[in-house]
Amino acid sequence: MAVQRRSGGDGTPSPEHFLVVFPGYHRSWATWIAQCLEGHGHRATLQRWDPPREVPLEDSLDDLLLSSGRILLVLNDWFFELGPRPAGEWNDALRGFVAAHADRFAAVNLTNRPLLPATAVLEPASLWGLSEESAEERLLRRLGLERARVPRTVTNRVRYPDTRCEIWGEVPRRNPRFTGRDDLLTDIHQRLADAERGAAACTLLGMSGIGKTQLAVEYAHRFSTDYDVVWWVNSDDRNIQRDRLGELAVEMGLSIGSEPGERIRAVRDALRRGDPYANWLVILDGWDDTDGINTLLPQGPGHVLISSRNRGWSEHTDILEIPAFLRAESTAYLLRRAPHISAAQADEVAAEFGDVPLPLVQAASWLGESGMEVPEYLRMVRERQLSTVDEPATGEGFPQSSMTSWSILLNRLRRSQPQAIDVLSLCTSFAPGRIPLGLIRAYPQADLPEDLRWMTTDLAAWTRALDTLVNYSVLTRETRGPAGVEMGPHQESVHMHRLVHDIVSKLVSEQGRTDHQRVVRTLLAEADPGNPMDSRNWPRYAELLPHLEPSGALSSTRPRVRETVLNCLRYCFRSGEYRSGLDLARRIRENWSGTSDPLDQSMLDLTTQESNILRASGSFREAHELDRGILDKLQAAPVRNELAELTTKGTMSSSLRQLGRYQEAYQLQQEVLDGNSRLLGPDETLTLIARHNLGVVLRLLGRYAEAYEMDLETLSRRENTLRARHINTLSSGNAVTHDLRLLGRYRDALARQEPVLRLHVQVLGPQHPQTLEARAQLIMCRRREGGQARDTGPAMVSLLEQLSQVHGREHYRTLSFLTNYGNYLREHGDLGLARDLIAEAEAGYRALLGPAHPVATGMLTNTGLVMQSAGERAEAMAMFESALAGLTATLTADHPWVLGCALNAASARNFNGRIADAVELSRDTLRRSRRVLGDEHPLTLSCQLALAADLRAAREQEEAGKLEDDGLLSLTRTLGAQHPHTISARQRTRPYWDFEAYLS
């Protein structure tokens, strides 16, 4: 689509503006194209193209049209892989958006490989394999531009990109899968260009595997047009380095002899003078040894680029620390190599490896070549079935070169700093990541293997060894404690990347590894604070947890080590790390089952904690089966362990209540409380836990007043024995608020819950599961209290997001809040979203609990309320009647949940013309509610007003009027004249009851 453009009056072409859009790796082509256009009197602006994958392609293309001129796309097949984009998105955009603006878009093609079919709309001019003159001619013709009679002279003319520089010295081939790093490459180029003459040297610093060599390779290829000479020197051996640098003398045609020193002097002199070449680039790849570097490091008008792990280069060159990939670069690389995975899965893999390029290459290879799914791959990596340095199926060579580099470094350290090797070897008996290495400084010297005793006695050697490892980017230092507070050597922590850990584990001698593991697991036991219930100790347990398996602690039979392992498991439960806890419990059981009797105390403690975590995760049946199995063994044992039986019965009771078997749970929990009180006393931790759990069962049985008295006493005892900030005391505070709210004492509940939540946030943190539960309790208090200024909608949206993040959408606590939010939205007129949320919660509970569970049955009444609000009265009545019948059968007719369902069913009967049936049911419900909840409970008063409405419909005006007047008076007295319930009653709006789904 060559368009002939207008010319000026003197025959010269009218100047135009072009936006040259290019991927970063084609910067040299874009620069040359801009030079051509400017040489013929036009203006050109360069714009690198790599829009975020999350932004629709048409939006990004539309942004280009904001430019004043035409858009010239610099294409090859890889251009369309940027992002990457979902299949077909580019073709759709080309056929649609670009075709609609064809007069604004043009393109050149730099490859002989096929482009997308729809690229035809751009009619790209192929510049592949052309001479500079031919390429210029074809570019102008495609844009409909006339060649200027006398092209403008361009200063600092760039070389034609297809022209190789005169000396190209064994630069590794360009990686066709090189990803991102555009800003880093631009930064390198700018640093070298801006440096003073003779000092243009930049060191790319970072650990092995971070991508330093690949960055240097890409720089050499991308900016080769800036140089006449590009010379690559790759080796960590000083003699090979000297030989390789001396070979440049021959390539430059220098008159020299055969002696290496003479050649190097000649090369350095020629480079310094810039004769015969002023524009040169020397790349020193993998140069970790800086001793005597002044005799090798070139100076002059050219540039030196070094890749190294050694921070000692900061004394000789500019330093550029190479970070891990940006997350977008990591996910883009993974999605291109393994297109079957999702963006979220790519993000998870990238996070697992800290965005470090080398392990991502290996991960992409495994996933892409094998088609393996991400969960299975990550499981194998975490269980050490796959290493981050295993050779990828594609054989790209990254791991082998990295292993060679590490071998050289470790051999050097063995000679020059053997104590650094001792520290490294010890580190491999910890897990990668944060390592509390300073703990060894507090280790008893006599208990250490002889070869490690220097670590506790020779502080100077310890510091020197760590400094060496940090200097070579093997470890990085971390500090524990408040900012600005200097930590002692015994508190020192280091960070060892997984990649480094894997490589060093393969290369460090196996000798002494068993002794080192024994040392580390003893260190972990010594560092155990001994109280996982105290949230102040959680950071320490989080630090110890990853190191249990690599140290061999999980297979240890030493009681002190086993107690530490169990304390870490208790920490997982108390801190809300349920997934980690389930995984840890599984691994402990695998290790202990072969050597321990199921009735050993450590195994009993393991079962108790595993059961707790299973229930907290929503696996109620699995927890019950685990408890049932161990209780059978305890009861069959020749010697009775009464306390163990009571503990197991307590966890069984918790499982039973969550399975909806409330009466069985109550009887069992009462037995546990009585037994613990007799054996341990009333104020012991286990007794107070039993008392708290009995309150939970009473609440689920609808015995709210008894639950309140029980929880109030438990709270008082816990405040006296455990203090106010203990996690169990906070739980009791939450329980008392729940009871008050269910008793209809909304103001009291709200006044109590606000300080309870503040304490939760201070002690446990804002994202702890118990804190989220306290926040949900506060929101429901505000909703029930009904203050005019309390719009709980935004708070509910925020909390639902947090619950979904912490637990997942299908967890029972999330489902509970989904229910409450759905009921709130129905009240406020958003029936569409309310219906969706209630349906989601109902389906979730059915899948989790089964259709006959009281909570799953009670959810039917919420579905009925949505239907009734939508005018689906017959369908709503069917739901109400089903909920009423189901809950009556499982809970008895006097349970408050049944009374609430009856209130709704009577309403539906009235709306559907069954007035006599409505009156009968309303009268019976009011009688029961008065007996169970009292005359002034909000539910009782709702039942009273509902009966009045039914009596009015039956034309029994006198009784209806008396009931209505008394009900209004009681509502005004108990809830206040401005409470929504009171206002609705005055307006004769039919009362209803929404079901709050809770399991504990």
Side-chain angles (χ1 to χ4, degrees), residues 938 941-942 944-946 948-949 952 960 963-972 975-992:
L941 296 175
S942 291
Q944 183 172 330
L945 293 166
R952 271 199 311 275
L963 285 170
E964 184 177 60
D965 290 344
D966 288 348
L968 270 170
L969 209 59
S970 295
L971 279 174
T972 303
L975 298 183
Q978 297 305 310
H979 193 280
H981 288 358
T982 310
I983 294 171
S984 294
R986 281 201 301 270
Q987 295 171 345
R988 288 188 174 175
T989 302
R990 179 85 188 205
Y992 60 84

Side-chain angles (χ1 to χ4, degrees), residues 177 333-334 336-338 340 349 357-372 377 386 390-399:
R177 293 193 173 101
Y333 181 79
L334 289 164
R336 278 195 292 270
R337 295 291 308 279
H340 68 286
V349 173
L358 177 55
L360 286 175
V361 168
Q362 192 268 349
S365 179
W366 273 102
L367 293 166
E369 298 295 323
S370 68
M372 186 183 291
Y377 174 75
L386 284 178
D390 286 342
E391 183 70 26
T394 52
E396 291 186 351
F398 290 95

Side-chain angles (χ1 to χ4, degrees), residues 482-588:
V485 177
E486 185 147 351
M487 313 305 289
H490 65 290
Q491 296 166 307
E492 193 157 21
S493 289
V494 297
H495 188 277
M496 190 180 206
H497 192 273
R498 179 196 293 273
L499 168 67
V500 178
H501 189 278
D502 282 355
I503 293 176
V504 174
S505 296
K506 288 178 180 291
L507 296 177
V508 171
S509 168
E510 287 292 326
Q511 184 177 359
R513 185 179 295 256
T514 301
D515 287 342
H516 291 177
Q517 287 180 319
R518 179 178 60 80
V519 168
V520 170
R521 57 181 175 263
T522 305
L523 281 176
L524 299 180
E526 290 295 322
D528 179 3
N531 184 8
M533 300 286 284
D534 190 336
S535 60
R536 291 171 296 183
N537 293 329
W538 291 351
R540 170 51 63 90
Y541 282 112
E543 189 174 49
L544 301 182
L545 184 62
H547 307 297
L548 296 178
E549 186 160 355
S551 68
L554 295 184
S555 56
S556 175
T557 57
R558 288 180 57 199
R560 182 69 186 88
V561 175
R562 283 199 163 188
E563 185 61 22
T564 295
V565 169
L566 286 171
N567 279 341
C568 286
L569 186 60
R570 294 181 181 107
Y571 150 74
C572 289
F573 171 55
R574 287 297 176 178
S575 66
E577 296 289 341
Y578 304 140
R579 290 176 188 160
S580 297
L582 287 176
D583 179 61
L584 179 58
R586 175 184 60 80
R587 288 184 287 138
I588 296 171

Side-chain angles (χ1 to χ4, degrees), residues 374-685:
V374 165
E376 175 65 9
Y377 174 75
L378 290 178
R379 182 191 66 77
M380 293 177 70
V381 168
R382 289 162 183 164
E383 294 180 1
R384 317 297 288 176
Q385 296 179 37
L386 284 178
S387 165
T388 57
V389 293
D390 286 342
E391 183 70 26
T394 52
E396 291 186 351
F398 290 95
Q400 189 55 49
S401 63
S402 186
M403 294 287 281
T404 302
S405 175
W406 275 99
S407 296
I408 293 168
L409 174 61
L410 295 184
N411 286 333
R412 177 186 297 134
L413 290 177
R414 283 192 185 96
R415 294 191 299 269
S416 64
Q417 182 62 273
Q419 288 167 324
I421 296 294
D422 290 342
V423 174
L424 263 186
S425 180
L426 188 65
C427 284
T428 60
S429 293
F430 288 91
R434 185 185 178 97
I435 297 175
L437 194 58
L439 293 175
I440 200 167
R441 299 284 305 162
Y443 197 96
Q445 178 190 348
D447 295 341
L448 279 172
E450 189 172 347
D451 62 329
L452 297 185
R453 288 178 185 172
W454 67 268
M455 294 185 181
T456 65
T457 59
D458 192 341
L459 179 58
W462 170 262
T463 303
R464 189 164 55 250
L466 280 184
D467 285 345
T468 299
L469 294 171
V470 170
N471 190 54
Y472 279 101
S473 304
V474 179
L475 304 175
T476 54
R477 272 197 174 90
E478 294 189 354
T479 56
R480 190 170 62 242
V485 177
E486 185 147 351
M487 313 305 289
H490 65 290
Q491 296 166 307
E492 193 157 21
S493 289
V494 297
H495 188 277
M496 190 180 206
H497 192 273
R498 179 196 293 273
L499 168 67
V500 178
H501 189 278
D502 282 355
I503 293 176
V504 174
S505 296
K506 288 178 180 291
L507 296 177
V508 171
S509 168
E510 287 292 326
Q511 184 177 359
R513 185 179 295 256
T514 301
D515 287 342
H516 291 177
Q517 287 180 319
R518 179 178 60 80
V519 168
V520 170
R521 57 181 175 263
T522 305
L523 281 176
L524 299 180
E526 290 295 322
D528 179 3
N531 184 8
M533 300 286 284
D534 190 336
S535 60
R536 291 171 296 183
N537 293 329
W538 291 351
R540 170 51 63 90
Y541 282 112
E543 189 174 49
L544 301 182
L545 184 62
H547 307 297
L548 296 178
E549 186 160 355
S551 68
L554 295 184
S555 56
S556 175
T557 57
R558 288 180 57 199
R560 182 69 186 88
V561 175
R562 283 199 163 188
E563 185 61 22
T564 295
V565 169
L566 286 171
N567 279 341
C568 286
L569 186 60
R570 294 181 181 107
Y571 150 74
C572 289
F573 171 55
R574 287 297 176 178
S575 66
E577 296 289 341
Y578 304 140
R579 290 176 188 160
S580 297
L582 287 176
D583 179 61
L584 179 58
R586 175 184 60 80
R587 288 184 287 138
I588 296 171
R589 192 170 291 280
E590 288 173 355
N591 280 278
W592 290 6
S593 293
T595 57
S596 300
D597 187 283
L599 300 186
D600 283 354
Q601 190 56 51
S602 60
M603 291 294 287
L604 291 173
D605 290 343
L606 168 62
T607 299
T608 298
Q609 296 309 315
E610 187 174 4
S611 176
N612 287 338
I613 298 172
L614 282 167
R615 280 194 311 280
S617 303
S619 300
F620 310 129
R621 292 183 181 85
E622 193 175 343
H624 180 260
E625 289 167 8
L626 182 65
D627 294 328
R628 179 76 263 174
I630 205 69
L631 183 60
D632 290 344
K633 288 183 171 66
L634 283 166
Q635 291 174 334
V639 179
R640 189 178 180 196
N641 185 339
E642 188 177 358
L643 188 58
E645 285 186 33
L646 288 170
T647 299
T648 305
K649 286 178 179 178
T651 53
M652 275 189 68
S653 172
S654 296
S655 298
L656 286 170
R657 76 167 186 255
Q658 289 173 315
L659 289 169
R661 295 158 62 177
Y662 302 145
Q663 196 59 45
E664 293 175 71
Y666 170 74
Q667 292 168 354
L668 201 56
Q669 194 63 55
Q670 186 67 65
E671 180 185 340
V672 172
L673 177 57
D674 293 343
N676 282 346
S677 298
R678 174 172 48 84
L679 292 175
L680 303 173
D683 291 328
E684 286 298 311
T685 298

Side-chain angles (χ1 to χ4, degrees), residues 741 776-784 796 820 996:
R741 187 164 56 76
Q777 193 69 250
L778 179 61
I779 286 174
M780 291 305 295
C781 288
R782 287 175 172 167
R783 182 176 166 221
R784 296 304 186 202
M796 295 184 102
N820 294 334
E996 274 189 49

Side-chain angles (χ1 to χ4, degrees), residues 653-654 657 662 665-667 669-670 673 687-715 718 731-732 734-736 738-740 742 998-1000:
S653 172
S654 296
R657 76 167 186 255
Y662 302 145
Y666 170 74
Q667 292 168 354
Q669 194 63 55
Q670 186 67 65
L673 177 57
T687 307
L688 293 175
I689 289 173
R691 180 179 295 279
H692 173 84
N693 287 339
L694 186 59
V696 175
V697 183
L698 287 169
R699 190 159 54 244
L700 287 165
L701 284 169
R703 294 159 63 175
Y704 300 148
E706 293 174 72
Y708 173 64
E709 294 301 326
M710 178 71 67
D711 288 332
L712 204 57
E713 183 180 350
T714 306
L715 175 61
R718 281 178 165 172
S731 181
S732 286
N734 222 22
V736 169
H738 198 173
D739 297 330
L740 284 169
L742 294 176
Y998 57 90
L999 297 176
S1000 59

Side-chain angles (χ1 to χ4, degrees), residues 794-994:
M796 295 184 102
V797 172
S798 173
L799 181 55
L800 181 56
E801 288 179 1
Q802 293 175 64
L803 286 165
S804 300
Q805 290 170 1
V806 171
H807 294 303
R809 194 83 170 183
E810 297 174 353
H811 190 272
Y812 66 95
R813 293 196 185 279
T814 310
L815 294 175
S816 174
F817 200 73
L818 270 174
T819 303
N820 294 334
Y821 185 40
N823 285 330
Y824 169 85
L825 289 171
R826 173 187 47 74
E827 284 181 346
H828 290 77
D830 192 344
L831 287 183
L833 183 53
R835 186 188 293 269
D836 291 343
L837 294 181
I838 295 296
E840 180 183 350
E842 183 188 341
Y845 276 126
R846 267 203 314 273
L848 181 67
L849 307 171
H853 191 287
V855 167
T857 305
M859 284 298 300
L860 297 175
T861 202
N862 289 328
T863 302
L865 287 171
V866 173
M867 291 176 169
Q868 188 163 272
S869 296
E872 303 165 13
R873 292 185 171 182
E875 295 86 347
M877 185 168 70
M879 289 292 156
F880 294 145
E881 297 287 0
S882 294
L884 176 60
L887 288 181
T888 301
T890 56
L891 300 179
T892 76
D894 287 342
H895 194 287
W897 291 359
V898 176
L899 299 175
C901 288
L903 174 70
N904 292 338
S907 170
R909 291 178 185 183
N910 186 320
F911 289 154
N912 282 275
R914 293 171 51 186
I915 305 301
D917 290 343
V919 170
E920 180 183 1
L921 181 57
S922 289
R923 198 179 293 281
D924 181 64
T925 304
L926 175 58
R927 176 178 56 80
R928 293 178 184 278
S929 188
R930 282 172 170 167
R931 186 176 70 247
V932 172
L933 298 173
D935 290 347
E936 294 195 335
H937 190 280
L939 179 56
T940 303
L941 296 175
S942 291
C943 292
Q944 183 172 330
L945 293 166
L947 176 58
D950 293 333
L951 289 168
R952 271 199 311 275
R955 292 183 170 76
E956 298 182 28
Q957 302 294 344
E958 184 177 348
E959 185 181 0
K962 184 177 184 310
L963 285 170
E964 184 177 60
D965 290 344
D966 288 348
L968 270 170
L969 209 59
S970 295
L971 279 174
T972 303
R973 183 171 60 253
T974 56
L975 298 183
Q978 297 305 310
H979 193 280
H981 288 358
T982 310
I983 294 171
S984 294
R986 281 201 301 270
Q987 295 171 345
R988 288 188 174 175
T989 302
R990 179 85 188 205
Y992 60 84
W993 175 82
D994 57 40

